[in-house]
Amino acid sequence: MFRMSEKPLISANEIRERVATLAREITAAYDYDILLSALTGAYMFTADLSRELANAHSDKAVQKKVVFIKASSYGDSTESSGKLQVRGLEKVDLKGKRILMVDDIADTGTTLLGLCKMLKEGGAQEVRTCVLLNKQERREVDITADFVGFEIANEFVVGYGLDYANDYRFLPDIWTLQETN
């Protein structure tokens, strides 16, 4: 059994402000061809980030592609299985492209590292990563996201697209989910 924290870990306002700042940071540092989003957890972040990227760099925004793939290593658990499952990448022409890969969270790092490896093997010229949340203390592999929204402690979080067994995704804030006895 689980219960949500009494107050949000990160409010919708804090998320909105950080996503706008993050878009400006990305625009100043990286001219990508494809924004590739790892569904399902990153769908809200990707939508908000892509709008902010368009605002920050409107003259080139129409030339950018947004691609969604399905990547998962959690299933219905609060712990990563360590087994990355990816669907939809086979339909994307990566050859010679600069990719901005967007994901909801860098936890153990296995999903981020696995996706980067797949993108490079698919012919991407360059891959940079952007995550909304980073749990550095949980990292099991050697990878660091290029752009990070928030650093968080080792707590299981839900809301703003992040879920537990497909629940909690619609919440506008990010909350911690705590196990009850």
Side-chain angles (χ1 to χ4, degrees), residues 29-34 94-101 116 119-120 123-129 146-147:
Y30 189 50
D31 186 21
Y32 60 92
D33 302 306
I34 299 172
L94 300 169
K95 290 183 180 60
K97 303 288 196 267
R98 292 165 306 197
I99 310 296
L100 176 62
M101 196 196 64
C116 286
L119 294 170
K120 289 175 184 169
Q125 174 185 330
E126 183 178 11
V127 178
R128 294 210 191 161
T129 55
D146 297 293
F147 305 99

Side-chain angles (χ1 to χ4, degrees), residues 111-177:
T111 298
L112 201 61
L113 186 63
L115 285 172
C116 286
K117 184 179 178 190
M118 287 177 187
L119 294 170
K120 289 175 184 169
E121 287 172 353
Q125 174 185 330
E126 183 178 11
V127 178
R128 294 210 191 161
T129 55
C130 177
V131 295
L132 176 65
L133 305 172
N134 186 45
K135 282 189 198 177
Q136 191 61 42
E137 66 185 90
R138 288 260 306 151
R139 199 73 78 242
E140 294 177 1
V141 295
D142 185 21
I143 190 163
T144 303
D146 297 293
F147 305 99
V148 174
F150 299 93
E151 296 285 342
I152 64 169
N154 185 19
E155 299 178 290
F156 193 81
V157 291
V158 294
Y160 193 67
L162 294 114
D163 75 304
Y164 170 68
N166 255 342
D167 289 330
Y168 306 100
R169 283 194 200 281
F170 295 122
L171 298 169
D173 312 290
I174 294 174
W175 300 76
T176 60
L177 198 62

Side-chain angles (χ1 to χ4, degrees), residues 34-55:
I34 299 172
L35 187 154
L36 189 135
S37 177
L39 293 175
T40 303
Y43 82 96
M44 278 192 191
F45 177 44
T46 301
D48 290 345
L49 182 64
S50 62
R51 282 190 292 265
E52 291 296 339
L53 285 166
N55 290 337

Side-chain angles (χ1 to χ4, degrees), residues 80-95:
S80 174
S81 68
K83 295 177 184 168
L84 179 60
Q85 299 175 0
V86 178
R87 292 192 310 255
L89 195 55
E90 68 282 353
K91 300 174 186 175
V92 184
D93 178 14
L94 300 169
K95 290 183 180 60

